Amino acid sequence: MTSDDRPYVKAVDALRVLSILGVLLIHTTTKVLEITHYNLLDYQVTLFLNQFARFAVPLFFIISGFVLELNYNFHSSYWSYLKKRVSRILIPYLFWSLIYYYFIYTLNRDNLVTAILTGSASYQLYFIPTLCIFYLVFPFLHRIYKFFANVPVLTILGILQIWLMNQDYFVKQFGFADPIRISFLGYFFFIIGIVAARNKEKVLELIRKIKYILIIPITYLPFYIFEEGKNLYFKTYNIEAFYSQWRPSILFYTLTVFVALFYMFDKSHLQFKLVEKFSKLSYLVFFIHVLVLEEMWKYFGHYWFNLPAFDLIFFALITSLSFGVAYLIHKVPNLAKITG
């Protein structure tokens, strides 16, 4: 089999674009909440938008598991698989870690090695070390697929994930470094992606039967998550109450978003060429959007802050600029190999 034989699932590209848009919405609204010193009562719309988008990072884990499982048989060995992952993921990650560590967030409390291992050079980078852990263990999961992909084992894994999230969110945050902690709190999303890749048609048929029922949770859960984060914050005054996306409620929310939109995008007759182009830019946008956000806020943020619908204006600005910069970088031959 060659790379030309690899299956193309248009819904995955659409979900990847949706995920990166969710990440941008989280970070633009987070900036607003920080500037207001977490005045959640006067900025409830901002908080709602922030909570509404909390499916974004967990959905990335689902997509990662899905794509790895879909394409793993095209690798001749574990080492060819690992080499490709390193070249596509690790090199851009190291490049941008250095940029953020030395030029953007120069007061980083960790030394460079620790910052790279934990993703602390910039606040969005914590996702990559965790993803690397999943990439390392994926071939093993691929081998034991039949063990964990049956209903009883999946149910046990799901219940364990809910318990871990409940302990971390409501009781006491685990003391592990973020890559380890997040891998414990996000493994079920990755596994669901693997299972969905092997059972695409079955998943679509199941969703077809329950698609109207899904309207209820996909409408209700964002409001529940919003109230949950706000109320816990006012009890504890811990910003992780609304910053954390590793909660049982967000597990259900993300899975609902995934199955509903996977079905919708798969059955859509829309032209997906543009979506595919945006999807290819999404990894670089993930890295650069915080830099764009900080620079735009530094020079212009205070001028726009009191405008009506500022949240959406700021989000639209950072999104358009980030994708624009990513597009221009991708026009430079071979530069994307370093930048993502």
Side-chain angles (χ1 to χ4, degrees), residues 44-61:
Q44 294 201 56
V45 172
T46 304
L47 179 64
F48 177 79
L49 293 172
N50 186 279
Q51 300 300 278
F52 168 81
R54 286 290 159 180
F55 64 83
V57 174
L59 185 56
F60 266 130
F61 283 146

Side-chain angles (χ1 to χ4, degrees), residues 23 26-27 54 56-58 60-61 93 97 115-133 177-183 185 240 243-246 286-287:
V23 168
I26 289 171
H27 292 159
R54 286 290 159 180
V57 174
F60 266 130
F61 283 146
Y93 170 67
S97 291
I116 289 173
L117 291 175
T118 61
S120 65
S122 179
Y123 56 81
Q124 87 277 26
L125 297 180
Y126 80 92
F127 169 77
I128 303 298
T130 304
L131 192 61
C132 288
I133 292 174
D178 257 358
I180 305 299
R181 173 175 165 264
I182 303 303
S183 64
L185 297 173
E240 285 299 313
Y243 276 173
S244 175
Q245 49 230 343
W246 312 109
F286 170 80
F287 284 122

Side-chain angles (χ1 to χ4, degrees), residues 36-296:
T36 65
H37 303 289
Y38 306 111
N39 182 1
L40 303 191
L41 292 179
D42 290 337
Y43 288 86
Q44 294 201 56
V45 172
T46 304
L47 179 64
F48 177 79
L49 293 172
N50 186 279
Q51 300 300 278
F52 168 81
R54 286 290 159 180
F55 64 83
V57 174
L59 185 56
F60 266 130
F61 283 146
I62 295 177
I63 293 168
S64 298
F66 190 103
V67 172
L68 288 182
E69 182 60 35
L70 205 63
N71 295 303
Y72 186 67
N73 289 331
F74 292 88
H75 297 283
S76 58
S77 67
Y78 175 76
W79 296 112
S80 70
Y81 155 82
L82 198 60
K83 181 181 178 182
K84 186 167 186 178
R85 291 299 103 195
V86 167
S87 63
R88 293 188 65 180
I89 301 297
L90 199 55
I91 292 174
Y93 170 67
L94 292 174
F95 173 80
W96 287 108
S97 291
L98 292 173
I99 295 295
Y100 281 105
Y101 190 88
Y102 284 113
F103 300 104
I104 309 301
Y105 298 123
T106 56
L107 298 178
N108 200 304
R109 67 183 183 277
D110 297 324
N111 62 52
L112 178 60
V113 173
T114 302
I116 289 173
L117 291 175
T118 61
S120 65
S122 179
Y123 56 81
Q124 87 277 26
L125 297 180
Y126 80 92
F127 169 77
I128 303 298
T130 304
L131 192 61
C132 288
I133 292 174
F134 289 156
Y135 281 172
L136 287 171
V137 302
F138 169 75
F140 173 71
L141 294 176
H142 180 80
R143 283 178 173 270
I144 64 166
Y145 174 83
K146 290 183 179 179
F147 167 73
F148 69 77
N150 58 77
V151 173
V153 176
L154 273 180
T155 302
I156 293 170
L157 290 173
I159 292 171
L160 178 60
Q161 183 74 100
I162 292 169
W163 182 82
L164 289 170
M165 287 178 163
N166 186 78
Q167 291 296 113
D168 182 80
Y169 183 67
F170 289 107
V171 181
K172 184 180 180 181
Q173 188 177 93
F174 298 135
F176 309 120
D178 257 358
I180 305 299
R181 173 175 165 264
I182 303 303
S183 64
F184 277 118
L185 297 173
Y187 72 82
F188 192 66
F189 298 107
F190 190 69
I191 286 175
I192 287 295
I194 296 171
V195 174
R198 286 226 193 172
N199 297 276
K200 177 176 175 286
E201 296 307 320
K202 290 181 180 179
V203 170
L204 290 172
E205 179 59 22
L206 174 63
I207 301 167
R208 185 189 66 80
K209 294 178 180 178
I210 64 170
K211 58 185 177 182
Y212 296 112
I213 299 175
L214 290 174
I215 294 172
I216 299 171
I218 209 169
T219 303
Y220 168 73
L221 283 171
F223 291 96
Y224 177 85
I225 290 164
F226 161 72
E227 291 292 338
E228 177 183 62
K230 181 178 68 173
N231 292 337
L232 188 60
Y233 173 73
F234 284 122
K235 288 180 180 178
T236 63
Y237 288 94
N238 182 349
I239 58 176
E240 285 299 313
F242 54 86
Y243 276 173
S244 175
Q245 49 230 343
W246 312 109
R247 324 178 208 166
S249 58
I250 293 178
L251 170 63
F252 293 113
Y253 179 41
T254 303
L255 294 179
T256 305
V257 168
F258 169 66
V259 296
L261 295 185
F262 185 82
Y263 178 85
M264 185 183 78
F265 290 135
D266 185 82
K267 299 303 179 185
S268 172
H269 296 292
L270 296 175
Q271 176 57 256
F272 271 73
K273 288 295 182 184
L274 186 60
V275 173
E276 187 177 359
K277 290 179 180 178
F278 277 104
S279 177
K280 289 178 179 178
L281 296 174
S282 62
Y283 190 50
L284 178 51
V285 169
F286 170 80
F287 284 122
I288 66 172
H289 77 274
V290 171
L291 190 157
V292 173
L293 187 158
E294 293 292 355
E295 292 304 304
M296 287 298 100

